[in-house]
Amino acid sequence: MSAERYDHLTGELRATYRTLGEKSGGESRELVAFIVGSALRFRLGDEMRSRPRFAPVFLDEGFVKADSEFAGRAVQARRGLGFQLIIGVPLDKVTGLEPHMDELLAITKNSATHQSWITPITDVAASR
């Protein structure tokens, strides 16, 4: 397998991938994320549709080991493939994904009753 990465604005070749061993850990994760997204798009879509037949993709603890820049590129790549991402992460990992969110929901569980609830989190300044 080989892949090439181009700058989407200039069309300039940015990187060539022939094996994962020659790239850094971050570059390898980025390539794997794109391959997984492309494979999902291929399996869930067809040439007659611009979007996959099943668009929601659930990522449990998605991108928790990634920096904000990588997470943003991965989110945008999957969105570009037509997917709706639903990403569950611990609270301390939210800030890296926050710039790429359409909506932020907190899920809280009461350990005594084992009941959970969802609370929308909004930007107070934006709602004024």
Side-chain angles (χ1 to χ4, degrees):
M1 180 208 63
S2 66
E4 295 177 341
R5 181 171 58 99
Y6 290 89
D7 184 294
H8 74 282
L9 296 176
T10 66
E12 176 185 350
L13 178 64
R14 300 301 299 246
T16 301
Y17 302 92
R18 288 194 173 69
T19 68
L20 294 180
E22 63 191 37
K23 299 300 179 188
S24 71
E27 289 174 314
S28 296
R29 283 193 307 271
E30 188 169 351
L31 179 60
V32 169
F34 183 77
I35 290 170
V36 169
S38 297
L40 283 170
R41 176 65 177 96
F42 175 77
R43 296 295 294 165
L44 298 173
D46 58 46
E47 63 277 357
M48 302 302 291
R49 300 171 197 243
S50 61
R51 299 184 59 80
R53 287 176 279 164
F54 181 83
V57 172
F58 294 84
L59 300 173
D60 184 20
E61 296 194 17
F63 312 117
V64 294
K65 294 186 179 183
D67 63 19
S68 180
E69 185 178 332
F70 168 78
R73 288 193 309 269
V75 166
Q76 294 308 320
R78 288 193 171 111
R79 279 184 170 175
L81 292 168
F83 292 110
Q84 173 194 12
L85 296 179
I86 302 164
I87 305 171
V89 296
L91 190 56
D92 65 328
K93 303 298 181 185
V94 169
T95 55
L97 291 168
E98 201 168 11
H100 314 288
M101 293 180 194
D102 293 330
E103 188 171 5
L104 174 59
L105 303 170
I107 301 174
T108 309
K109 180 179 180 180
N110 182 320
S111 57
T113 64
H114 302 290
Q115 293 180 326
S116 299
W117 62 93
I118 298 172
T119 306
I121 298 175
T122 57
D123 185 355
V124 175
S127 63
R128 291 183 184 172

